[in-house]
Amino acid sequence: MYFIQNFTAFYLLMAMLKKIFTFFISFASVVFAFAQQSIDRTMLYDGLLREYRIYLPEVYDGSQPASLLFNLHGYGSNNLQQFIYGDFRAIADTANVILCLPNGTADAFGSLRWNSGFETGVDDVGFISALIDSLSAEFNINPAHIYSTGMSNGGFMSYTLACELGNRIAAIASVTGTMTTFQAANCMPYRPIPVLEIHGTADETVPYDGSAEFLGIDSLIAYWTGENECPDAPAVTPLPNNNTSDGSTVERFDYYNCTAGTQVVLYKVYGGSHSWPGSIILLSGTNRDFSASTAVWNFFRQFHHPDFADLTNMPETGNNTAVQKAFPNPCAETLQIPVLQNNTQIELRNTAGTLLIHENAGIPGLNLSVQSLPAGIYFLTVRNATGVWVQRVVKM
């Protein structure tokens, strides 16, 4: 049984949120219908028709790989509400970030939720992994820059991805979420993963001190500093109290020197409620001293997935002394790789980072058979004395 159903206060909060959002969403849906960057779609996954929204930033033209950010709604909310409440559009438009806001599935009460950290139920991890595949097939996405954040239950789900999809997610952040005790006992991360938590001490829906069913925030941070082997006490930085009328103040706790270059960060909002700091929707107890969206992105942008080449730092270069672009792309049977320098290493990986083909090539190049590979997205890496070059390849 989904644990949050036990909290009467949570239902009261959701009822209030729905009333607040009803008019706002009705108005916003008319406005955003004219924005070409917003695309609403469905996907049939595991026998369920799933809904999701894509936001393409103004700067995206496909010539450069974009980051991909999942922004997950809370329990009883939906992707359109989260699109506005936890707004990343201004950031996406300047940082070349494609936003993906999927919907969870309805429970017995008709409220959308994520299956975050339980033994059985809807396969939301598989659904998000399938979304990564689908979006990567259509858009130029940097596989090293895929992140997840979310509000409340969306924060819980982001921790689920840290536990179960760390082979694809570079870093996660949670706003007012935590982990279930079951999840903490069974989480087996694929690798150390950077984690950010934003939480108010006056949160009555997901209390800061936790419950019998989920971790308190201090325990949550202790869990991830343990997983990431962070050796030092945190550096504590009070944020400027820019808004003295919001009834809350903020301290940031930074755990540095964690293994594999990771980091754990906590924004502790003293007096803060179950809300998204800096949101334009002013729920009671919302902190106004900082923007949660900005804090999340500034955290994410420091990290890339170690299993993938960081395409942001290694753009495609079609005419250097090492290689020219492989063709045809998309391809069905054979990928022709022109090579302009001997002793060139050719690697082909899937979107999970698994090395599928490793060949040594020289002038004039290599005809690489891909006929046996399933249709999908692959990443061709070429290495020689001049450096490293990466190309995204579509197999039909």
Side-chain angles (χ1 to χ4, degrees):
M1 195 69 175
Y2 194 74
F3 80 94
I4 206 72
Q5 294 171 0
N6 297 326
F7 294 93
T8 303
F10 187 83
Y11 289 115
L12 294 175
L13 176 65
M14 287 302 104
M16 177 185 69
L17 281 173
K18 288 179 180 179
K19 289 179 181 179
I20 292 173
F21 276 117
T22 298
F23 172 77
F24 191 84
I25 292 298
S26 298
F27 171 76
S29 62
V30 175
V31 175
F32 293 132
F34 296 95
Q36 295 300 314
Q37 296 91 349
S38 299
I39 309 167
D40 292 312
R41 290 182 174 173
T42 59
M43 169 189 287
L44 186 64
Y45 179 79
D46 206 20
L48 298 173
L49 189 64
R50 306 298 300 266
E51 300 173 333
Y52 62 101
R53 165 167 284 205
I54 304 165
Y55 180 78
L56 295 180
E58 291 180 1
V59 295
Y60 178 80
D61 61 9
S63 64
Q64 296 296 321
S67 300
L68 175 62
L69 173 59
F70 288 95
N71 186 7
L72 308 179
H73 64 75
Y75 175 76
S77 183
N78 60 49
N79 62 346
L80 299 184
Q81 293 173 357
Q82 183 62 18
F83 186 61
I84 299 165
Y85 186 52
D87 193 354
F88 284 90
R89 285 170 295 166
I91 293 168
D93 284 340
T94 57
N96 196 25
V97 182
I98 294 175
L99 306 178
C100 182
L101 296 95
N103 269 337
T105 56
D107 64 9
F109 298 88
S111 295
L112 297 180
R113 73 344 185 187
W114 299 103
N115 181 29
S116 51
F118 295 89
E119 296 180 77
T120 59
V122 175
D123 182 13
D124 283 324
V125 174
F127 168 52
I128 289 176
S129 184
L131 275 176
I132 294 174
D133 290 337
S134 177
L135 295 172
S136 297
E138 183 174 0
F139 304 107
N140 188 2
I141 290 174
N142 189 340
H145 287 195
I146 300 176
Y147 312 100
S148 179
T149 189
M151 169 72 183
S152 191
N153 182 215
F156 278 82
M157 187 63 206
S158 293
Y159 282 115
T160 302
L161 297 178
C163 293
E164 301 182 34
L165 202 61
N167 62 324
R168 310 198 72 177
I169 301 293
I172 69 101
S174 161
V175 182
T176 75
T178 182
M179 295 170 66
T180 67
T181 53
F182 172 84
Q183 185 174 32
N186 292 276
C187 179
M188 294 186 291
Y190 167 79
R191 62 178 180 86
I193 188 166
V195 166
L196 168 71
E197 175 69 27
I198 299 173
H199 217 103
T201 61
D203 189 329
E204 295 182 352
T205 305
V206 183
Y208 188 91
D209 292 331
S211 72
E213 295 163 309
F214 52 80
L215 297 183
I217 304 308
D218 292 340
S219 297
L220 174 77
I221 296 302
Y223 178 89
W224 285 104
T225 55
E227 286 290 333
N228 291 349
E229 299 179 357
C230 306
D232 303 327
V236 182
T237 307
L239 270 61
N241 189 15
N242 296 321
N243 190 317
T244 58
S245 64
D246 60 9
S248 57
T249 58
V250 185
E251 284 186 330
R252 173 173 168 153
F253 296 77
D254 286 276
Y255 294 83
Y256 296 113
N257 300 319
C258 308
T259 188
T262 59
Q263 186 180 353
V264 176
V265 175
L266 167 66
Y267 282 81
K268 187 173 183 178
V269 186
Y270 296 92
S273 66
H274 192 73
S275 54
W276 189 282
S279 175
I280 62 171
I281 307 296
L282 286 176
L283 300 181
S284 177
T286 300
N287 180 267
R288 309 297 295 170
D289 295 328
F290 76 110
S291 163
S293 299
T294 300
V296 167
W297 177 247
N298 284 340
F299 178 75
F300 283 163
R301 66 198 296 267
Q302 304 173 85
F303 303 104
H304 72 275
H305 199 295
D307 289 355
F308 301 97
D310 186 355
L311 305 186
T312 300
N313 297 326
M314 290 186 292
E316 293 183 358
T317 52
N319 292 293
N320 61 18
T321 59
V323 69
Q324 294 177 335
K325 281 190 176 182
F327 66 93
N329 190 15
C331 63
E333 298 181 356
T334 302
L335 186 64
Q336 299 183 44
I337 309 171
V339 174
L340 304 181
Q341 182 170 311
N342 289 322
N343 197 26
T344 294
Q345 300 299 311
I346 306 294
E347 298 175 356
L348 190 71
R349 298 177 184 269
N350 61 19
T351 55
T354 304
L355 179 63
L356 304 175
I357 299 174
H358 184 196
E359 299 281 353
N360 184 65
I363 300 171
L366 177 71
N367 290 335
L368 193 67
S369 175
V370 295
Q371 187 173 7
S372 63
L373 297 178
I377 300 296
Y378 297 87
F379 292 92
L380 177 70
T381 303
V382 178
R383 306 175 189 273
N384 56 32
T386 66
V388 181
W389 177 87
V390 179
Q391 181 179 348
R392 176 176 171 270
V393 176
V394 178
K395 165 62 166 60
M396 295 187 299

